[in-house]
Amino acid sequence: MAVDPYRYFRPEAKEILEQFSRGTLDLEKGSDVAATVQKLLRLAHTLKGAARIVKQNEIATEAHAIEDVLMPFRDTAEAVAQSHIDAVLEHVDAIATGVAALSAPGEGTSAPDAAPSAQTQAAVSGDASQPVHSSVRTDISELDTMLDGVAEARALMGGLRGATEGMDEISRTVSDLVEKLEFAQISGAGRRASLDDPLSIAEKLRRRIGVVERVLDTGIDRVDRELRQLREAAERLRLVPAADMFTSLERIARDTALAQGKKITFSATSDDIRLDTRVLECLQHAFIQIVRNAVAHGIETPDARQAVGKPQAGAIALSVTRRGRRIVLTCTDDGRGIDLNGVRAAAQKRGLFDMRNGLPDERETLNLLLRGGISTSGAVTEQSGRGVGLDIVREAIAKLGGAVECKSETGCGTSFEVIIPPSLAAMDALFVDTGETGIMAVPLSAVRATLRLLRTDITRTENGASILFGDVIIPFAPLSAILHARSATGARNWATFIVAFEDTLAAIGVERLLGTASIVTRPLPRHMSASPLVTAVSLDADGNPQLVLDAEKLVEAARNGADALDEEEARTEVLVVDDSLTTRMLEQSILESAGYAVDTATSGEDALVRVGKKRYALMLVDVEMPGMDGFTFMEHIRADARTRDIPAILVTSLNEPQHRQRGRDVGAQGYIVKSEFDQSELLEMIRPLVA
């Protein structure tokens, strides 16, 4: 395999060029001139030295030329003249062209990445078929190879774990051998001398196997941990911050505005969203056209803007946000807006609608424009007039399965909104255990708080279950109920997270909150049918899928189905333990009439099984039962950390002081003698215990 002499130079040069473009645009805005010039001079010096090492003298010469342009401004705070800014950018474009021409062995003469000058040409001419900025590209084939290798190595780790199980078997065999030798030694004293050596060897072997086993287990765990981290790092390498395309788009807006004698200000924001490089490449193809159109068709000349009371410089703003399960990219301008009549006239000329059905309304007109092939420009220039720009936008977004929407207001500006479904994307997530449905992830950006809810914190009204969060009443629903899994039964406490969509909040109850982590999400397979709540899937350390829930749908489900905390769930559940059918039925009838849900057990042993499977708010326990009596049952309950805090009332025929004392000793909160049984007294005793 041929050695690539530029293996390290290409990525270093591209990174420096990205910083050059960003710094030069900042310099043009007059941002901290002295510090920016110093930074650019350092970048030029670094690039010049690196180029000379790999014998790229032309690139080194261009970098030296940048130093010559900027050196007079090194120790001054004066603004750098526009002609000097243009000269620096010309040298940057020349260097980018030279770097792009440096092919790796076997690639031929064409480079996979286009230079910024090609981007600028695409921006001005309307041709976005050119490859996009290099910062949007990584070598996906190498990353895929890395991921495959990690997966294979982890599979080998599974085989090694099987080997440790074999070591366990060997260890048991050696132990058996030692025991047999010891037995033979005891039972045959005459053979003791002959057994000493094998016994010693077997004992040494057992100790040695134990050492090897511990070392092997520790080594495998460490390798497994390292491979897991490597896999996560490799997946994130595949992702690129959406903000990485902002610099090149600002350059496009700047150069288009200069070509048309216009002035602009450019701003961009991102919610720290990272996307698959192929997705970002398609998006940049689309936004090259959208930004160019915003400047060429939307922004007016400085004189025209001043005449209508606008600032001379038009505003172009980009944003990348997450909206539920979708990624939304928006480009807005404060220009003249879209000439709807001009679009209608151009569309009619092309036969895109039938006049017999009347003129299309505003929305229909904008949809016609998005179909592409329509230009309202009076002449074909380098900047506009061909009517192919929105064709490119539509095709690029269609590749991603997304949609584009347009809004415009005459004299105020235009907004293009591109909405794409999730592909590979990185996000921080809160992991929760739903119980029956397992572990799931919720976007951390949508989580406002986590808390522990007591059953008394949940209020049930005719509108469903709700809680007080701060000074606001918000709906509450268990995640298991929302997902249509088996509903939890009985009043209980909940681990809870507060989820938000826009300005709406909801409380979601789960079994456990497991913590946060950074994950890489993937879209669900197309053939897979899933709940609307599920937006994507991530893979855990072992490659097992974990569902990612959609914040918008969670809030919607909680608000529309807060009463998913069903009647059985909302009622306090009591366990009645008595071997007498009559007593069980009487107590059950009294409790159910008072609004409690009731389970019954016929013995202490039966009750232990039930308490192990379900959480009860209260237990009524008979003392005199066959097998395990009530006192012994209570001792078992209080000895278990999971059940020791369940309130209990003893209902018994025993009325001696020592029996009452025994009841207090085993942790009963109440003691009722059956001969003195009073329904009202029972309910009064129960009420504070379950509150």
Side-chain angles (χ1 to χ4, degrees):
M1 183 175 181
V3 176
D4 180 3
Y6 312 117
R7 178 182 178 185
Y8 301 108
F9 176 72
R10 276 195 303 271
E12 181 186 20
K14 291 174 183 178
E15 182 178 352
I16 290 175
L17 288 173
E18 175 72 14
Q19 295 181 59
F20 251 127
S21 295
R22 176 76 269 161
T24 307
L25 292 173
D26 288 342
L27 197 63
E28 188 174 38
K29 298 172 186 176
S31 303
D32 197 355
V33 173
T36 303
V37 168
Q38 291 279 6
K39 177 182 177 181
L40 293 177
L41 286 171
R42 288 194 298 269
L43 290 172
H45 185 76
T46 299
L47 182 60
K48 180 172 66 174
R52 284 175 176 168
I53 288 175
V54 294
K55 297 181 171 50
Q56 290 298 310
N57 293 328
E58 292 183 2
I59 293 177
T61 300
E62 294 289 348
H64 185 75
I66 292 176
E67 291 179 316
D68 290 340
V69 173
L70 295 176
M71 192 61 71
F73 304 96
R74 181 175 183 174
D75 300 314
T76 179
E78 296 180 4
V80 179
Q82 185 65 51
S83 59
H84 291 80
I85 298 289
D86 293 341
V88 169
L89 289 175
E90 287 177 6
H91 291 305
V92 169
D93 288 346
I95 293 172
T97 301
V99 172
L102 300 178
S103 303
E107 286 184 355
T109 58
S110 62
D113 298 320
S117 57
Q119 292 179 337
T120 305
Q121 286 183 344
V124 175
S125 68
D127 177 16
S129 62
Q130 298 289 337
V132 298
H133 194 275
S134 60
S135 64
V136 181
R137 286 185 175 267
T138 59
D139 194 337
I140 297 300
S141 62
E142 289 187 5
L143 288 178
D144 287 342
T145 301
M146 181 191 299
L147 290 172
D148 290 341
V150 170
E152 180 67 22
R154 299 204 73 242
L156 292 175
M157 288 300 100
L160 287 176
R161 289 193 181 278
T164 63
E165 295 175 1
M167 292 292 290
D168 289 339
E169 184 177 350
I170 292 172
S171 182
R172 288 192 298 270
T173 302
V174 172
S175 295
D176 291 341
L177 174 61
V178 171
E179 291 176 2
K180 290 177 181 179
L181 288 172
E182 289 176 341
F183 177 79
Q185 194 176 42
I186 294 171
S187 61
R191 291 176 292 169
R192 185 183 303 274
S194 62
L195 290 173
D196 282 344
D197 286 344
L199 182 62
S200 175
I201 293 171
E203 186 63 37
K204 182 184 293 186
L205 179 60
R206 180 168 62 180
R207 290 196 301 269
R208 182 59 181 164
I209 287 175
V211 172
V212 172
E213 193 173 30
R214 288 192 297 272
V215 171
L216 190 57
D217 280 340
T218 302
I220 288 176
D221 287 341
R222 292 181 61 183
V223 172
D224 185 71
R225 183 170 60 251
E226 292 297 328
L227 287 174
R228 182 166 62 250
Q229 293 173 352
L230 177 60
R231 183 178 185 275
E232 292 171 355
E235 284 189 323
R236 291 186 66 82
L237 276 174
R238 190 184 177 97
L239 304 175
V240 179
D244 275 14
M245 65 178 177
F246 289 163
T247 298
S248 57
L249 292 177
E250 181 175 0
R251 175 77 187 276
I252 288 166
R254 170 200 181 273
D255 291 351
T256 305
L258 285 176
Q260 294 198 331
K262 298 177 179 180
K263 296 180 179 180
I264 64 160
T265 62
F266 185 95
S267 62
T269 59
S270 171
D271 286 351
D272 194 25
I273 293 172
R274 297 171 65 92
L275 299 172
D276 183 276
T277 53
R278 294 190 180 99
V279 172
L280 206 56
E281 178 180 327
C282 284
L283 289 174
Q284 189 159 344
H285 276 303
F287 272 83
I288 284 174
Q289 299 304 320
I290 291 173
V291 168
R292 185 196 67 82
N293 283 348
V295 178
H297 297 292
I299 301 300
E300 310 94 331
T301 61
D303 291 342
R305 290 180 62 84
Q306 196 168 22
V308 295
K310 291 182 179 181
Q312 286 192 340
I316 305 291
L318 266 65
S319 68
V320 184
T321 58
R322 191 183 302 276
R323 184 183 299 167
R325 68 179 65 194
R326 296 168 293 277
I327 305 297
V328 180
L329 299 95
T330 306
C331 177
T332 61
D333 68 70
D334 67 345
R336 62 172 63 90
I338 293 174
D339 179 4
L340 296 179
N341 289 329
V343 173
R344 293 185 183 108
Q348 182 183 1
K349 186 176 180 180
R350 292 196 58 203
L352 298 181
F353 67 90
D354 192 338
M355 279 295 295
R356 290 174 295 182
N357 298 326
L359 289 175
D361 60 20
E362 179 179 338
R363 184 175 182 83
E364 291 171 337
T365 302
L366 292 175
N367 287 336
L368 286 172
L369 181 65
L370 291 174
R371 289 172 57 181
I374 295 176
S375 175
T376 58
S377 179
V380 175
T381 68
E382 288 186 344
Q383 288 78 36
S384 63
R386 295 179 176 83
V388 298
L390 290 178
D391 284 332
I392 295 169
V393 172
R394 189 187 68 254
E395 291 174 4
I397 303 307
K399 289 180 182 178
L400 302 176
V404 57
E405 298 179 0
C406 177
K407 297 178 182 178
S408 184
E409 184 176 352
T410 302
C412 295
T414 303
S415 171
F416 279 89
E417 190 174 78
V418 173
I419 306 167
I420 62 170
S423 179
L424 280 186
M427 64 183 290
D428 291 328
L430 170 68
F431 284 93
V432 300
D433 183 357
T434 63
E436 289 294 320
T437 49
I439 296 173
M440 296 187 173
V442 181
L444 191 60
S445 60
V447 177
R448 295 294 175 265
T450 59
L451 59 152
R452 182 74 178 176
L453 283 183
L454 302 178
R455 54 181 177 267
T456 53
D457 295 328
I458 303 171
T459 303
R460 186 178 180 83
T461 67
E462 60 182 9
N463 296 323
S466 62
I467 68 166
L468 185 64
F469 179 64
D471 57 355
V472 180
I473 297 175
I474 63 174
F476 169 84
L479 185 53
S480 57
I482 293 177
L483 293 170
H484 306 294
R486 179 178 65 82
S487 296
T489 56
R492 51 165 293 181
N493 303 332
W494 291 94
T496 305
F497 62 91
I498 307 300
V499 63
F501 176 71
E502 295 180 344
D503 296 327
T504 308
L505 300 174
I508 309 297
V510 295
E511 291 293 323
R512 290 184 300 156
L513 301 171
L514 302 177
T516 62
S518 179
I519 62 173
V520 175
T521 64
R522 295 167 168 77
L524 292 168
R526 293 185 179 180
H527 63 275
M528 181 178 177
S529 177
S531 165
L533 288 165
V534 178
T535 179
V537 66
S538 69
L539 301 180
D540 66 12
D542 297 318
N544 300 314
Q546 291 179 324
L547 299 180
V548 181
L549 300 177
D550 179 56
E552 177 184 2
K553 297 298 182 183
L554 272 178
V555 172
E556 180 182 336
R559 294 188 66 83
N560 295 338
D563 56 353
L565 190 69
D566 59 23
E567 291 298 327
E568 185 74 6
E569 176 72 21
R571 294 162 62 196
T572 302
E573 190 155 14
V574 178
L575 177 64
V576 174
V577 187
D578 202 302
D579 63 314
S580 167
L581 175 61
T582 301
T583 304
R584 290 199 308 271
M585 297 304 294
L586 173 63
E587 293 177 356
Q588 182 175 4
S589 175
I590 293 170
L591 292 169
E592 288 182 343
S593 297
Y596 298 100
V598 180
D599 260 4
T600 62
T602 59
S603 67
E605 292 85 349
D606 182 20
L608 281 179
V609 173
R610 293 178 180 275
V611 171
K613 294 180 178 179
K614 186 184 295 185
R615 176 77 181 185
Y616 294 93
L618 178 76
M619 298 179 294
L620 298 183
V621 183
D622 184 24
V623 172
E624 296 178 290
M625 295 183 290
M628 182 185 295
D629 63 27
F631 292 137
T632 306
F633 169 76
M634 288 298 302
E635 288 172 344
H636 280 84
I637 291 297
R638 295 301 181 237
D640 191 336
R642 297 172 299 174
T643 58
R644 64 165 59 119
D645 61 340
I646 301 177
I649 297 174
L650 295 178
V651 183
T652 176
S653 301
L654 301 176
N655 193 24
E656 298 298 325
Q658 65 269 27
H659 297 137
R660 291 179 179 271
Q661 183 58 47
R662 179 77 189 280
R664 287 190 289 270
D665 292 341
V666 297
Q669 281 81 6
Y671 195 101
I672 295 178
V673 179
K674 289 183 179 180
S675 61
E676 302 171 356
F677 186 89
D678 182 89
Q679 175 176 332
S680 299
E681 179 185 352
L682 173 65
L683 295 177
E684 284 298 320
M685 189 178 292
I686 288 175
R687 192 168 292 114
L689 294 177
V690 299

